[in-house]
Short mmCIF file of all heavy atoms in Angstrom, two decimals:
data_model
loop_
_atom_site.label_atom_id
_atom_site.label_comp_id
_atom_site.label_asym_id
_atom_site.label_seq_id
_atom_site.Cartn_x
_atom_site.Cartn_y
_atom_site.Cartn_z
N VAL A 53 -15.49 -74.50 -5.03
CA VAL A 53 -14.80 -73.66 -4.20
C VAL A 53 -15.71 -72.52 -3.41
O VAL A 53 -15.51 -72.41 -2.27
CB VAL A 53 -13.76 -72.72 -5.01
CG1 VAL A 53 -13.07 -71.62 -4.21
CG2 VAL A 53 -12.64 -73.73 -5.53
N PHE A 54 -16.72 -72.07 -4.11
CA PHE A 54 -17.61 -71.21 -3.45
C PHE A 54 -18.39 -71.93 -2.32
O PHE A 54 -18.60 -71.45 -1.24
CB PHE A 54 -18.67 -70.63 -4.52
CG PHE A 54 -19.73 -69.77 -3.91
CD1 PHE A 54 -19.39 -68.59 -3.48
CD2 PHE A 54 -21.07 -70.29 -3.85
CE1 PHE A 54 -20.36 -67.65 -2.94
CE2 PHE A 54 -22.07 -69.42 -3.35
CZ PHE A 54 -21.70 -68.16 -2.89
N LEU A 55 -18.84 -73.18 -2.61
CA LEU A 55 -19.52 -73.97 -1.62
C LEU A 55 -18.68 -74.28 -0.46
O LEU A 55 -19.09 -74.18 0.75
CB LEU A 55 -20.09 -75.23 -2.17
CG LEU A 55 -21.22 -75.15 -3.18
CD1 LEU A 55 -21.60 -76.44 -3.86
CD2 LEU A 55 -22.47 -74.48 -2.59
N LEU A 56 -17.41 -74.51 -0.65
CA LEU A 56 -16.38 -74.73 0.44
C LEU A 56 -16.30 -73.45 1.28
O LEU A 56 -16.35 -73.59 2.51
CB LEU A 56 -15.15 -75.13 -0.19
CG LEU A 56 -13.91 -75.19 0.84
CD1 LEU A 56 -14.07 -76.35 1.77
CD2 LEU A 56 -12.64 -75.25 0.09
N TRP A 57 -16.27 -72.36 0.66
CA TRP A 57 -16.19 -71.08 1.31
C TRP A 57 -17.38 -70.87 2.18
O TRP A 57 -17.26 -70.45 3.42
CB TRP A 57 -16.02 -69.86 0.37
CG TRP A 57 -16.03 -68.58 1.08
CD1 TRP A 57 -15.07 -67.96 1.72
CD2 TRP A 57 -17.12 -67.68 0.98
NE1 TRP A 57 -15.36 -66.74 2.17
CE2 TRP A 57 -16.74 -66.50 1.73
CE3 TRP A 57 -18.40 -67.65 0.43
CZ2 TRP A 57 -17.51 -65.44 1.92
CZ3 TRP A 57 -19.25 -66.57 0.49
CH2 TRP A 57 -18.80 -65.44 1.34
N LEU A 58 -18.63 -71.16 1.67
CA LEU A 58 -19.85 -71.03 2.48
C LEU A 58 -19.85 -71.96 3.68
O LEU A 58 -20.23 -71.52 4.83
CB LEU A 58 -21.14 -71.39 1.61
CG LEU A 58 -21.47 -70.24 0.53
CD1 LEU A 58 -22.64 -70.85 -0.18
CD2 LEU A 58 -21.82 -68.93 1.27
N VAL A 59 -19.45 -73.15 3.52
CA VAL A 59 -19.42 -74.10 4.60
C VAL A 59 -18.46 -73.75 5.76
O VAL A 59 -18.81 -73.71 6.89
CB VAL A 59 -19.06 -75.57 4.12
CG1 VAL A 59 -18.80 -76.54 5.25
CG2 VAL A 59 -20.23 -76.08 3.22
N LEU A 60 -17.21 -73.31 5.30
CA LEU A 60 -16.26 -72.89 6.23
C LEU A 60 -16.65 -71.62 7.04
O LEU A 60 -16.41 -71.48 8.24
CB LEU A 60 -14.89 -72.66 5.63
CG LEU A 60 -14.18 -73.92 5.10
CD1 LEU A 60 -12.89 -73.52 4.38
CD2 LEU A 60 -13.83 -74.85 6.31
N ARG A 61 -17.32 -70.74 6.28
CA ARG A 61 -17.82 -69.47 6.90
C ARG A 61 -18.90 -69.83 7.94
O ARG A 61 -18.90 -69.19 9.00
CB ARG A 61 -18.35 -68.57 5.80
CG ARG A 61 -18.76 -67.25 6.32
CD ARG A 61 -19.04 -66.37 5.07
NE ARG A 61 -19.97 -65.30 5.48
CZ ARG A 61 -21.01 -64.88 4.86
NH1 ARG A 61 -21.28 -65.42 3.70
NH2 ARG A 61 -21.74 -63.91 5.27
N LYS A 62 -19.74 -70.69 7.61
CA LYS A 62 -20.79 -71.10 8.46
C LYS A 62 -20.27 -71.76 9.69
O LYS A 62 -20.67 -71.52 10.95
CB LYS A 62 -21.77 -72.09 7.80
CG LYS A 62 -23.03 -72.29 8.50
CD LYS A 62 -23.85 -71.02 8.52
CE LYS A 62 -25.28 -71.36 8.87
NZ LYS A 62 -26.06 -70.18 8.99
N LYS A 63 -19.20 -72.62 9.55
CA LYS A 63 -18.51 -73.22 10.74
C LYS A 63 -17.88 -72.18 11.64
O LYS A 63 -18.01 -72.32 12.83
CB LYS A 63 -17.50 -74.27 10.28
CG LYS A 63 -18.06 -75.51 9.86
CD LYS A 63 -16.97 -76.50 9.47
CE LYS A 63 -16.09 -76.88 10.58
NZ LYS A 63 -15.11 -77.89 10.28
N GLU A 64 -17.30 -71.11 11.02
CA GLU A 64 -16.70 -70.10 11.84
C GLU A 64 -17.74 -69.31 12.53
O GLU A 64 -17.55 -69.00 13.72
CB GLU A 64 -15.88 -69.10 10.88
CG GLU A 64 -14.61 -69.57 10.37
CD GLU A 64 -13.87 -68.63 9.41
OE1 GLU A 64 -14.58 -67.64 8.99
OE2 GLU A 64 -12.72 -68.87 9.17
N GLN A 65 -18.82 -69.05 11.98
CA GLN A 65 -19.91 -68.31 12.63
C GLN A 65 -20.51 -69.20 13.78
O GLN A 65 -20.70 -68.61 14.81
CB GLN A 65 -21.07 -67.97 11.65
CG GLN A 65 -20.71 -66.89 10.62
CD GLN A 65 -21.79 -66.70 9.65
OE1 GLN A 65 -22.69 -67.53 9.45
NE2 GLN A 65 -21.63 -65.65 8.82
N MET A 66 -20.69 -70.41 13.63
CA MET A 66 -21.13 -71.30 14.74
C MET A 66 -20.09 -71.33 15.82
O MET A 66 -20.53 -71.25 17.01
CB MET A 66 -21.40 -72.71 14.18
CG MET A 66 -22.61 -72.79 13.29
SD MET A 66 -22.77 -74.42 12.51
CE MET A 66 -22.85 -75.51 13.86
N ARG A 67 -18.80 -71.36 15.57
CA ARG A 67 -17.71 -71.36 16.46
C ARG A 67 -17.81 -70.12 17.40
O ARG A 67 -17.71 -70.11 18.50
CB ARG A 67 -16.40 -71.60 15.89
CG ARG A 67 -15.31 -71.88 16.89
CD ARG A 67 -13.94 -72.06 16.22
NE ARG A 67 -13.93 -73.09 15.15
CZ ARG A 67 -13.68 -72.94 13.90
NH1 ARG A 67 -13.27 -71.72 13.47
NH2 ARG A 67 -13.69 -73.95 13.04
N GLU A 68 -17.99 -69.02 16.63
CA GLU A 68 -17.99 -67.72 17.38
C GLU A 68 -19.15 -67.60 18.19
O GLU A 68 -19.09 -67.06 19.32
CB GLU A 68 -17.99 -66.53 16.32
CG GLU A 68 -16.64 -66.31 15.57
CD GLU A 68 -16.70 -65.31 14.53
OE1 GLU A 68 -17.84 -64.74 14.36
OE2 GLU A 68 -15.71 -65.29 13.79
N ARG A 69 -20.39 -68.08 17.78
CA ARG A 69 -21.65 -68.05 18.49
C ARG A 69 -21.50 -68.92 19.76
O ARG A 69 -21.94 -68.52 20.85
CB ARG A 69 -22.79 -68.49 17.71
CG ARG A 69 -24.10 -68.16 18.31
CD ARG A 69 -25.29 -68.57 17.36
NE ARG A 69 -25.07 -68.06 15.95
CZ ARG A 69 -25.16 -68.67 14.91
NH1 ARG A 69 -25.47 -70.14 14.93
NH2 ARG A 69 -25.05 -68.24 13.73
#
Side-chain angles (χ1 to χ4, degrees):
V53 170
F54 178 71
L55 292 175
L56 173 68
W57 175 75
L58 285 176
V59 168
L60 290 175
R61 186 171 156 223
K62 193 67 161 176
K63 282 181 66 176
E64 284 177 349
Q65 290 173 347
M66 289 173 55
R67 189 179 308 123
E68 289 173 8
R69 194 175 309 128

